[in-house]
Amino acid sequence: MRSINNFWKLGTVAPAALLILTAGAATADLLPDDPLIATSGDGLIFADPDEGIDPPGVKAVTFTRTRVPDGSGGFTYVDPFEQIITDFSNLTSRGDVTNCLMASQDGVYCDSAGGSGKRVKTQLTGPSPFDMRIRTVASATYPTVDYFTFGKTSNFTGARMTGFSLQLLDANGNAMGTLAPSDAVLFNLNATDIGIGARLPDGLFGAGGQEGEIGFFSSSRASLASTTSVDALTFGALSNTEYLANFGDSFIDNTMTPDGLFWDDNNDPTDESALVAWNDLSNGGWTYGTLDTAANIDARLTELATALGVSVADLGYVDGGLVPADIVAAAQANGLFAVDEIEDLRNANLNFTVTVGSIDDGEFTLRIAPQFAPIVANATSAYEFKLAGYLDGAANVPYLDLGNAATYQTAIADMLAMTAAQRSIALTSTGYSFAPAFANLGFEVSRGQVDAIFAIPSQSVTGAEGGVTRNSSFDTWHMGEGWTGLFSLNGSQSTYDPTATSVGYDVDIASLSIGLEKQLNANTAWGAVLGVADGSADAQNGLGGVDSSSVSLTAYGRFGFGNGGMIKALVGYQDSSYDSSRNVLGQTATGSTDGTQVFGALQAEYMQEVGALRWGPLASVEYYDMSVDAFNETGAGAWNLNVDGLSSDIVLGSVGFRGEYDLAGSQGLTTLTGGLEYTFASGSDFAVRSGFIGLPGATLPVQGLDDDWVDVKLGFETQLASSASSGSVFYGGYTGSIGSDYESHRLQVGLNYEF
């Protein structure tokens, strides 16, 4: 027998189909087993072999039937056979279709039992349409062939959708409705009896369907209003009474789904748990829903009470009533219960039929195009879109209203009346648009510490001999008994340009470093440096800033080799405190938090001497790992944010040349230094989850520092005094870093003193 998935191949026709060929009939295309060419835009098709859905997540089945009604309400299960059904207009059940687009599960077909996982799961992930390019193949001679689609789409865009549309386009992106039906793929609007539409899963709104006998929120279905044409199905507002009261009339986003209390009522973690209650933020918290039919509710409550170890009376069950606090506590302490999001609130089941004719170029596009509220649709960047989506949800999803929805609605109306530039600034102010400044403040402070250690002067004094000497294999200035004192002041100013996920900001750092170095022998020394620093980051457009104070401790070693080689290595730890201010719509939100950082660096150079000049190549690598604790803002009322902790790391790599030149007549006591390096920075992207206090937060992506630049270094070293028992060296320098999105200027002066 032929494989079930291979009845139709390019250029072939199944024997049964040949029996019905009629001369002169128009040639129609079919969908091959693997119809997906590619996807593009803001979305994806979910595929997970662990859930039985193999990549790419979608398959086509043509003229295949696996169940036959037995006449008594059941089915006879048979080996697959060919069933030529080309037109679904007269079918009364989608369980009878033989041609379909469905999830790519092995052994599951169009007429498999309900709940077998037939739906193609698409996720919309942003504001742009999601396109699925689908191939067709020429096959038998039919006027047209119908395919039913078992679909599901999930809202991961970051904003509630006021609607979405399904569109059929040709290979050139044109609407298929402009073509003759025999040459197009069009929606079959006559196949209404087998279901055309979009609605939330019946387990929440409806008769339960595959999820049981009841809908948790409502016994009525929650369908999206629809407008149909042959090449576009447009879905809009929901009208279910309970849905409107709790979630508004739009299709909510994943970030807006409430938590649910789920019960593993059969002690089987592999199947879906039963929803017992949901966290209705605007009406007091944990709230019961419909748990069973009227005929079964008493037995169900007895089962629930037994699982919790309480009496039925203790449950205090009222459909739509609050769950007693002690019952919530008992459930949270019971291993059979878990708190998780009610994810089906952002899922919509899609049912529709397409009729396939003879298609030029052998492909068409099925597009899903989301629609949004004006404040969201007018966003000018991905970051603004996320902020607008969050604000729009807080203003218009009823269960999220903690008394501030009217404030958010007024702000949205004011923003829509602004110019695009004004609206961009106002919208950006509602989020932590300069969140990367926390991490980069720590980075700049630690980088200054690395500079301070790597800039230790190369001049040497041997106090016991009372003369000035230079050790070519290990250049360091040291005190009697091999001890060297270190003291330096550092200042820097850096500019971070705006990115797609944050505004730009300027960072200023002032730091003091003191330390000691012990020379073990002519080629080895180690030391420790204590650093203190103050810094500030000022966001562009007056959006606010962050002030920091830091203390760091760094251990390092220097190792000479060969005739002019040097390796420097260090590792350090930094502790920081941060005070932030965010200017939002005429108010100022303030926050305080702490952070830590570990860092390390390794540098190698090899200098050669040509008269008064020493020069050679060098290379270095630096690593910075930063973390900042969560905090709550105060001072801005409805606009205060809860900001989760964040963490990030940055790797710097540099290659270049360094040189030293002894000034004529200085007898080696004054040296000019300089260097030119190419540096690349690779910072990890990270996420910042924040939200208005009391409401669920939204996770916003942040781009890490990803740039390359040229470092220019200029400096000097001069010996101020030297004797058999003491001496001092004064040194200083400038380092400039110029990149496409990053610029930094750093100054350092230091004094080493022998005593």
Side-chain angles (χ1 to χ4, degrees):
M1 179 176 291
R2 288 186 299 272
S3 168
I4 295 171
N5 285 329
N6 291 284
F7 282 111
W8 297 97
K9 294 295 184 183
L10 182 62
T12 67
V13 180
L18 290 172
L19 298 177
I20 66 168
L21 297 181
T22 57
T27 301
D29 286 1
L30 301 177
L31 301 182
D33 301 336
D34 54 343
L36 186 67
I37 300 173
T39 62
S40 60
D42 289 343
L44 57 89
I45 300 176
F46 176 83
D48 185 352
D50 290 341
E51 293 193 14
I53 303 176
D54 297 319
V58 59
K59 71 177 181 181
V61 175
T62 305
F63 302 153
T64 300
R65 192 172 188 182
T66 61
R67 301 190 304 166
V68 176
D70 62 8
S72 61
F75 293 90
T76 299
Y77 291 83
V78 298
D79 288 333
F81 63 91
E82 295 161 14
Q83 181 82 17
I84 307 300
I85 301 178
T86 64
D87 186 350
F88 294 166
S89 296
N90 294 322
L91 294 182
T92 57
S93 170
R94 60 175 175 265
D96 294 333
V97 302
T98 60
N99 320 320
C100 66
L101 275 170
M102 61 180 299
S104 47
Q105 289 210 68
D106 188 38
V108 179
Y109 302 96
C110 313
D111 62 344
S112 293
S116 56
K118 292 182 283 188
R119 294 192 179 277
V120 178
K121 298 178 181 179
T122 57
Q123 297 179 2
L124 303 180
T125 58
S128 298
F130 173 55
D131 287 351
M132 293 170 281
R133 289 176 56 207
I134 297 174
R135 65 170 60 88
T136 65
V137 294
S139 188
T141 302
Y142 306 105
T144 53
V145 178
D146 284 353
Y147 284 85
F148 184 81
T149 297
F150 295 93
K152 174 180 287 187
T153 195
S154 301
N155 184 2
F156 285 85
T157 63
R160 68 188 182 107
M161 298 194 310
T162 57
F164 62 93
S165 64
L166 303 179
Q167 303 167 18
L168 292 170
L169 311 173
D170 66 18
N172 298 314
N174 301 312
M176 281 280 195
T178 61
L179 302 175
S182 60
D183 299 324
V185 178
L186 301 175
F187 293 114
N188 186 338
L189 304 181
N190 296 319
T192 54
D193 286 344
I194 58 174
I196 293 178
R199 66 172 185 263
L200 300 189
D202 288 344
L204 297 179
F205 297 90
Q210 303 305 323
E211 290 80 13
E213 297 182 272
I214 52 95
F216 178 82
F217 288 103
S218 172
S219 59
S220 301
R221 284 177 168 170
S223 298
L224 284 74
S226 63
T227 303
T228 62
S229 68
V230 294
D231 58 14
L233 303 179
T234 300
F235 300 105
L238 291 101
S239 56
N240 176 280
T241 301
E242 287 77 15
Y243 187 91
L244 288 173
N246 293 315
F247 308 107
D249 62 358
S250 296
F251 185 22
I252 65 174
D253 170 69
N254 182 63
T255 62
M256 304 168 189
T257 55
D259 284 338
L261 183 63
F262 291 87
W263 171 28
D264 182 6
D265 55 354
N266 59 2
N267 202 24
D268 182 2
T270 63
D271 64 4
E272 292 188 1
S273 297
L275 181 59
V276 173
W278 72 290
N279 194 10
D280 184 356
L281 298 178
S282 66
N283 287 306
W286 289 103
T287 302
Y288 283 120
T290 303
L291 301 187
D292 214 321
T293 63
N296 299 331
I297 187 63
D298 290 342
R300 186 62 166 168
L301 293 177
T302 298
E303 186 182 5
L304 175 60
T306 300
L308 289 170
V310 299
S311 69
V312 171
D314 290 335
L315 294 176
Y317 175 75
V318 175
D319 191 352
L322 291 176
V323 183
D326 55 345
I327 297 300
V328 174
Q332 292 176 338
N334 189 311
L336 293 176
F337 294 80
V339 174
D340 203 354
E341 65 170 329
I342 307 176
E343 62 179 31
D344 270 346
L345 282 168
R346 43 84 163 154
N347 298 333
N349 292 336
L350 302 177
N351 301 318
F352 58 91
T353 299
V354 295
T355 302
V356 181
S358 180
I359 310 303
D360 287 343
D361 301 315
E363 71 170 81
F364 67 97
T365 294
L366 175 60
R367 169 173 291 176
I368 308 179
Q371 300 163 358
F372 304 99
I375 188 64
V376 181
N378 284 308
T380 59
S381 70
Y383 184 70
E384 284 185 21
F385 176 85
K386 294 288 188 179
L387 291 175
Y390 184 80
L391 177 60
D392 177 63
N396 294 291
V397 176
Y399 99 93
L400 296 176
D401 184 10
L402 302 182
N404 296 322
T407 299
Y408 301 142
Q409 292 167 0
T410 299
I412 290 172
D414 291 343
M415 289 182 195
L416 290 173
M418 297 176 182
T419 66
Q422 292 170 334
R423 182 166 57 248
S424 177
I425 295 173
L427 186 57
T428 301
S429 75
T430 65
Y432 237 102
S433 57
F434 49 96
F438 286 91
N440 288 328
L441 268 169
F443 163 67
E444 293 291 346
V445 170
S446 294
R447 192 182 183 202
Q449 190 75 303
V450 172
D451 283 350
I453 293 173
F454 281 175
I456 292 174
S458 61
Q459 294 206 51
S460 299
V461 173
T462 305
E465 299 178 0
V468 178
T469 65
R470 180 181 298 279
N471 185 323
S472 62
S473 65
F474 184 71
D475 293 333
T476 185
W477 184 77
H478 64 88
M479 298 185 294
E481 303 299 327
W483 286 99
T484 302
L486 310 171
F487 175 91
S488 68
L489 292 170
N490 299 270
S492 67
Q493 193 280 323
S494 304
T495 299
Y496 291 79
D497 288 345
T499 70
T501 56
S502 73
V503 298
Y505 47 90
D506 297 322
V507 174
D508 295 299
I509 303 293
S511 64
L512 167 67
S513 300
I514 57 174
L516 288 174
E517 179 181 289
K518 172 68 174 179
Q519 184 169 337
L520 302 180
N521 54 50
N523 294 308
T524 306
W526 62 268
V529 174
L530 177 69
V532 294
D534 286 330
S536 64
D538 295 316
Q540 296 174 2
N541 298 319
L543 291 174
V546 183
D547 294 325
S548 71
S549 296
S550 303
V551 177
S552 61
L553 182 64
T554 308
Y556 72 92
R558 302 199 291 168
F559 314 94
F561 64 94
N563 187 21
M566 178 75 70
I567 295 176
K568 304 174 184 178
L570 63 85
V571 61
Y573 174 83
Q574 175 183 303
D575 188 85
S576 302
S577 61
Y578 300 94
D579 293 314
S580 67
S581 62
R582 183 174 59 91
N583 300 321
V584 48
L585 302 178
Q587 300 186 65
T588 299
T590 59
S592 296
T593 188
D594 299 310
T596 59
Q597 181 169 218
V598 293
F599 56 95
L602 179 68
Q603 184 186 79
E605 65 179 41
Y606 201 90
M607 306 287 282
Q608 54 186 322
E609 190 167 342
V610 181
L613 175 66
R614 290 170 300 282
W615 69 279
L618 83 163
S620 66
V621 61
E622 304 169 31
Y623 175 73
Y624 303 86
D625 188 349
M626 298 142 283
S627 63
V628 179
D629 297 339
F631 64 95
N632 286 344
E633 292 181 316
T634 59
W639 302 105
N640 289 326
L641 293 175
N642 166 265
V643 183
D644 279 4
L646 61 91
S647 59
S648 176
D649 57 28
I650 297 175
V651 176
L652 298 184
S654 300
V655 294
F657 291 88
R658 189 176 78 85
E660 301 175 350
Y661 182 76
D662 293 335
L663 290 181
S666 70
Q667 297 180 342
L669 299 181
T670 300
T671 301
L672 300 181
T673 63
L676 184 66
E677 300 174 27
Y678 167 76
T679 299
F680 70 87
S682 178
S684 64
D685 295 340
F686 57 99
V688 177
R689 183 175 179 83
S690 63
F692 300 133
I693 291 178
L695 298 185
T699 300
L700 301 176
V702 176
Q703 295 177 357
L705 179 61
D706 187 9
D707 201 0
D708 54 80
W709 57 76
V710 174
D711 286 320
V712 178
K713 298 183 178 182
L714 301 172
F716 70 92
E717 305 166 7
T718 185
Q719 183 172 323
L720 300 181
S722 178
S723 68
S725 60
S726 65
S728 60
V729 172
F730 178 67
Y731 61 96
Y734 161 83
T735 299
S737 302
I738 307 297
S740 57
D741 299 317
Y742 171 76
E743 182 175 332
S744 179
H745 303 276
R746 301 185 298 280
L747 294 174
Q748 177 184 17
V749 293
L751 180 68
N752 291 358
Y753 184 70
E754 183 184 53
F755 56 92

